[in-house]
Amino acid sequence: MPCADRSPDERAGALDDLLRRLGIEAPRYEHPAVMTVAESERCVPSLPGAKTKNLFLRDKKGQRHFLVTAPHDKAVRLDALGELLGAGRLSFASPERLQKHLGLLPGAVSLLGLVNDSSGAVEFVIDRSLWEADAVHAHPLVNTATMVVPHADLERFLAATGHPPRVIELPAAPME
């Protein structure tokens, strides 16, 4: 069943079931809803692991979709990233595409949303610094909580969802 046809509770249940089956017990921290990195800085308590931000992107023709997980404080150059991925010009995908492919609302985007991409339509890209971190932060399909996912658990999760990571040094925009 496509994720857009499942309720938010069904999608959350699917994530919980998968994490349980994989033996992933990532700590979950509840907090006020956050939509941006700046809000996260104010509202999310200091947690172990690397802070992230996530970009849901599409190519110009809308045929390829990418979930890009970057360090929270890195501005990513989309033009250079598109070249690196062989995708041409990239832009942010619409909320409708986000819902269709990952079953998520804006603000709740995280690598854990890959649990909803059973068709494998979304390519996963992660910055090398995050891949090498002991743990990363991820919203569990809602923006009112953050989980700390240890690296070994991240690898198991990605393998179980059929999303091999493309680990690269994301091209950074110059600091202003």
Side-chain angles (χ1 to χ4, degrees):
M1 169 187 322
C3 63
D5 295 340
R6 296 182 356 221
S7 73
D9 287 340
E10 289 172 316
R11 290 190 296 271
L15 175 62
D16 291 342
D17 289 346
L18 178 61
L19 296 177
R20 194 172 15 264
R21 279 197 327 267
L22 296 174
I24 296 173
E25 296 180 13
R28 179 182 172 125
Y29 301 88
E30 305 291 330
H31 51 71
V34 294
M35 295 293 290
T36 65
V37 169
E39 287 177 0
S40 175
E41 291 289 318
R42 287 192 312 274
C43 300
V44 177
S46 179
L47 302 173
K51 292 181 180 182
T52 63
K53 69 178 174 186
N54 296 274
L55 313 174
F56 186 58
L57 306 171
R58 57 171 278 199
D59 68 353
K60 185 175 182 175
K61 294 182 179 181
Q63 294 178 340
R64 291 177 70 189
H65 294 83
F66 302 90
L67 176 60
V68 178
T69 300
H72 76 289
D73 56 356
K74 186 174 206 173
V76 179
R77 282 190 48 215
L78 295 186
D79 58 341
L81 178 58
E83 286 181 35
L84 271 174
L85 298 175
R89 191 176 67 102
L90 295 175
S91 61
F92 287 93
S94 68
E96 293 78 18
R97 285 176 186 264
L98 177 61
Q99 180 67 32
K100 175 183 174 186
H101 292 291
L102 295 178
L104 299 174
L105 297 173
V109 181
S110 88
L111 59 92
L112 294 176
L114 293 169
V115 70
N116 292 323
D117 179 35
S118 58
S119 66
V122 178
E123 299 174 49
F124 179 60
V125 180
I126 187 168
D127 189 80
R128 183 171 313 284
S129 67
L130 295 175
W131 187 252
E132 293 172 353
D134 291 335
V136 295
H137 297 184
H139 289 309
L141 311 186
V142 295
N143 65 349
T144 56
T146 298
M147 294 179 83
V148 177
V149 183
H151 180 81
D153 291 339
L154 172 60
E155 285 193 49
R156 283 201 319 277
F157 174 82
L158 294 171
T161 62
H163 292 88
R166 181 139 180 208
V167 181
I168 62 173
E169 177 70 29
L170 292 172
M175 299 301 281
E176 295 179 4

